[in-house]
Amino acid sequence: MIIPIFAAGMMKQGFFFIILLVAGVFPGKSQPLTIGGRVMDDVMPVAGATVEIKKLKKTAVSDTAGYFSIPHLQPGSYLIHISVIGYEPFHESVRISENTNDKVFNLMPITSSLDGVVVTGTMKPVQKKESPILVEVYTPQFLRKNPVPSIFEALQNVNGVRPQLNCNVCNTGDIHINGLEGPYTMITIDGMPIVSSLASVYGLFGIPTQLIDRIEIVKGPASGLYGSEAIGGLINIITKSPDKAPAFTFNAMTTSWMEHSLDAGAKFKIGSKTNSLLGVNYFNYQKPEDKNNDNFTDVTLQHRVSVFNKLHFQRKGNRVASLAGRYFYEDRWGGEMQWNRNFRGTDSIYGESIRTGRWELIGNYQLPVHEKMMFSFSATDHHQDSYYGKTAYMADQKIYFGQVTWDKNISTDHAALLGLAGRYNYYDDNSTATKDTITGNNQPEQFFLPGIFLQDEWKPNSKHHLLFGVRYDYHSVHKNIFTPRLAWKWSLNNKQTIRVNAGTGFRVVSLFTEEHAALTGARVVEVKEKLKPEKSYNVNLNYSTRITGGKTALNLDASFWYTYFHNQIIPDYLTDPNKIIYANLDGYSVSRGITLNLEGNVHKRIKILTGITIQDVAKFQNNGAGKKVKHDILLTEKWSGTWAITYTFPAGGITVDYTGNIYGPMQLPLVSSLDPRRNTSPVWSIQNIQMTKKISSALELYTGIKNLLNWTPAKNNPFIIARSHDPFDKSVQYDASGNVLPTSENPYALSFDPGYVYAPNQGIRMFLGLRMTVK
């Protein structure tokens, strides 16, 4: 009896053991779970966003506070898709093992949304699609498609805009818009003109990109609103508000050329009524390369640091009050591979060494009155300690600017903007530019430029928007300067718009601060006359349309421009190969062309931004016989194109960006009639590819290749720098008139010249970076 009872007990226990084992291996259906959270744009909720788990065909829509909830889910990983008009499609893989209701999904505004707000065209915040002035907008998402350590390089993918290097040795440069050289473009930070003249060469380096909210570009004269220097266009770099900026941002990148960059930003509170945004930009490149074997550095060595801080003060009635400051220091050099700091300023080993220190201050204060009146100011101090070979160039510049504006709504369809502005310029250096022509004593350049402007906007009906503006400035030397402008926007329907802008511009030239070629190389600078201010007359016609169908959305715009210049100052490299001659043009010059831009989004996976510019930029000069002869402008391409193509793999959290540009031929400056270098550039292109992996909502890893084609100007050219083996021209022989003689040692009658440059000398390279954003 005992054995059967024991056996029965064992069987019963085994039965229960088997049931427990089976239950463990083959679990039953779990309790359904819910995933919920909030859709946000920084600190603002996004209502009406569609939240999907496509493989389960489950959908939810965020409410007015941004909240959503998707119930009846099993534990596991799900790919969340979020879409809403005006924002980039969002994809993130989420794993759930319990009910989740606190997930936050941050969306990014679309790169060039028509609903975005712009301020540059009219100096007032207005929706981009409502602005009578065409304003192009580029956001941080655009900058990330081709990560670079400076704004200067980032603009290479903007149609009609070309960063132009001006020297093969020190790699300084400027920004060309529609074929016009850098001094014709005004560069502002938060609308303040602190990047100009001496700083225009370096002003686009060292701005912390993590703090940039957007870049607004106006092509064509804006002198009627912004005064001198905005004769050809305007680039306004708008920084983030401390109130809306992420808590912390970080971006670090390195390349196979051993270039290291770091960009970081953080916001914090000072007391209960002050928000602060702090940013740091650092760049270091200390590994000389000579891939083209001319014994000169291909890329300038640089050590740069910039610190930026912006404060926003809370006031009654939400009135504006902000103060921002930046300090910038850079030490750069290029030259012969044997150069070191012991050779600075000597004539044994050639090098160009530039040390730059500058500080900037920007402020905005809304006056405590019932009317909308704003006081804006900026101040900058720039010091440059530099040697170009054995030529010393020591310069100081101070610019102080103040402006009061009154934005008055006269009626629901009529508004006016009245402004008073004053600008003080101080410039001093050790060159002939600041020497008294009679006594020879040093005489720093100083002038105060007061101005007054009025802008009147009128909307006679829903389809038409008219703008008339006029500005008056008084220059102590050039006296009265008058610059009117007119704009008309015609909305054909809710998708098609025509804009017509016309106006004049003026520019007071500061020769040595703008023309780097006047300081480098062996050419002698000759100023033939007292230079008069340049004047321009411009008209711009733009047509834009939006095309939608299915899952495809396209934005297309086409522009035609024509600009006529009087008194233009164009450096003459061709009349005498040993000189750079500066004089007001005896004749006139013209810039005209057409530009096309296409932006598209296909199936929310493929994004395309591409454009092409065709232009004719030339001067018409008297030939002495009463006829005007056309001459093409040096270093100006006939056509160019840009593209940025992005493809997203949502499941893997991977994005691929293919970016590039292409440029048509341009005329190049030769040193002599025997110079064997090409007198026109070939068609050339810089192309890049990048892959970005989204690790989490806060972290991204990116890598890629720059200059995929490994293209440099040295290809199909015997050399780039003329007489790089004799940079001090110690073996050059001259005739009685000072002209270089051809000899057996110098068969092409050349002198040292690093100014033959139209494209970067840096070839193919890999890059790797890490990006973090903590909301």
Side-chain angles (χ1 to χ4, degrees), residues 603-743:
H603 292 283
K604 299 181 181 179
R605 291 279 188 94
I606 303 175
K607 298 173 190 174
I608 301 170
L609 180 61
T610 185
I612 185 171
T613 296
I614 302 171
Q615 61 191 17
D616 178 26
V617 184
K619 62 181 180 180
F620 295 81
Q621 197 165 9
N622 288 322
N623 64 353
K627 292 184 178 180
K628 299 285 195 302
V629 179
K630 180 181 179 181
H631 302 278
D632 290 335
I633 304 298
L634 292 176
L635 299 170
T636 303
E637 66 280 6
K638 291 290 186 182
W639 58 268
S640 64
T642 60
W643 64 87
I645 302 173
T646 300
Y647 188 84
T648 302
F649 299 90
I654 294 174
T655 301
V656 177
D657 296 294
Y658 171 49
T659 59
N661 50 50
I662 185 169
Y663 297 99
M666 62 185 78
Q667 191 175 354
L668 304 175
L670 299 181
V671 176
S672 75
S673 59
L674 301 175
D675 195 330
R677 294 175 294 182
R678 303 177 61 145
N679 62 356
T680 58
S681 66
V683 175
W684 58 280
S685 175
I686 302 293
Q687 301 176 26
N688 321 286
I689 194 164
Q690 173 188 239
M691 183 178 73
T692 303
K693 168 63 178 177
K694 192 175 183 67
I695 300 174
S696 69
S697 59
L699 199 63
E700 291 180 344
L701 180 69
Y702 58 92
T703 185
I705 301 173
K706 292 184 180 292
N707 198 351
L708 282 165
L709 305 180
N710 196 27
W711 187 90
T712 64
K715 292 188 175 182
N716 302 317
N717 245 331
F719 51 84
I720 295 297
I721 300 177
R723 291 190 67 79
S724 60
H725 65 284
D726 183 23
F728 295 100
D729 289 338
K730 294 181 179 180
S731 300
V732 174
Q733 297 183 24
Y734 304 89
D735 63 17
S737 301
N739 299 312
V740 178
L741 292 171
T743 64

Side-chain angles (χ1 to χ4, degrees), residues 79 90-95 103-108 144 248 250 650-655 692-702 770-775:
L79 185 61
F90 181 93
H91 315 280
E92 184 174 323
S93 181
V94 176
R95 183 174 184 82
K103 290 287 294 182
V104 176
F105 301 91
N106 273 289
L107 306 188
M108 288 286 188
R144 291 191 191 111
F248 178 74
F250 175 85
I654 294 174
T655 301
T692 303
K693 168 63 178 177
K694 192 175 183 67
I695 300 174
S696 69
S697 59
L699 199 63
E700 291 180 344
L701 180 69
Y702 58 92
L770 182 69
R771 188 181 295 118
M772 177 186 293
T773 302
V774 179
K775 296 291 184 177

Side-chain angles (χ1 to χ4, degrees), residues 558-617:
S559 294
F560 166 79
W561 80 90
Y562 180 92
T563 305
Y564 175 95
F565 287 93
H566 178 60
N567 286 341
Q568 191 174 22
I569 300 167
I570 303 173
D572 180 1
Y573 291 84
L574 302 179
T575 299
D576 188 331
N578 300 306
K579 296 180 179 179
I580 306 174
I581 301 172
Y582 295 93
N584 287 113
L585 183 64
D586 183 14
Y588 63 91
S589 63
V590 168
S591 170
R592 54 194 169 192
I594 185 171
T595 180
L596 300 171
N597 287 304
L598 175 67
E599 181 182 12
N601 192 326
V602 182
H603 292 283
K604 299 181 181 179
R605 291 279 188 94
I606 303 175
K607 298 173 190 174
I608 301 170
L609 180 61
T610 185
I612 185 171
T613 296
I614 302 171
Q615 61 191 17
D616 178 26
V617 184

Side-chain angles (χ1 to χ4, degrees), residues 77 87-88 93 150 183 196 200 202 247 327 380 494 615 625 706 721 736:
S77 295
Y87 291 87
E88 300 281 358
S93 181
S150 73
S196 60
S200 61
Y202 308 99
Y327 178 76
T380 179
N494 62 348
Q615 61 191 17
K706 292 184 180 292
I721 300 177

Side-chain angles (χ1 to χ4, degrees), residues 130-151:
E130 297 296 331
S131 173
I133 307 296
L134 179 66
V135 181
E136 296 182 13
V137 181
Y138 299 91
T139 64
Q141 295 95 294
F142 173 83
L143 302 178
R144 291 191 191 111
K145 294 177 185 293
N146 180 31
V148 289
S150 73
I151 301 299

Side-chain angles (χ1 to χ4, degrees), residues 167-170 288-301 333-339 349-352 389 520 720-728 752-754 761:
C167 176
N168 274 303
V169 180
C170 67
E289 293 282 0
D290 180 23
K291 303 287 187 180
N292 57 15
N293 300 315
D294 61 1
N295 196 42
F296 268 71
T297 53
D298 293 339
V299 178
T300 303
L301 283 77
W333 75 267
E336 294 186 88
M337 295 292 286
Q338 299 82 13
W339 191 91
I349 302 295
Y350 187 89
E352 295 185 3
T520 186
I720 295 297
I721 300 177
R723 291 190 67 79
S724 60
H725 65 284
D726 183 23
F728 295 100
F752 175 66
D753 177 36
N761 286 318

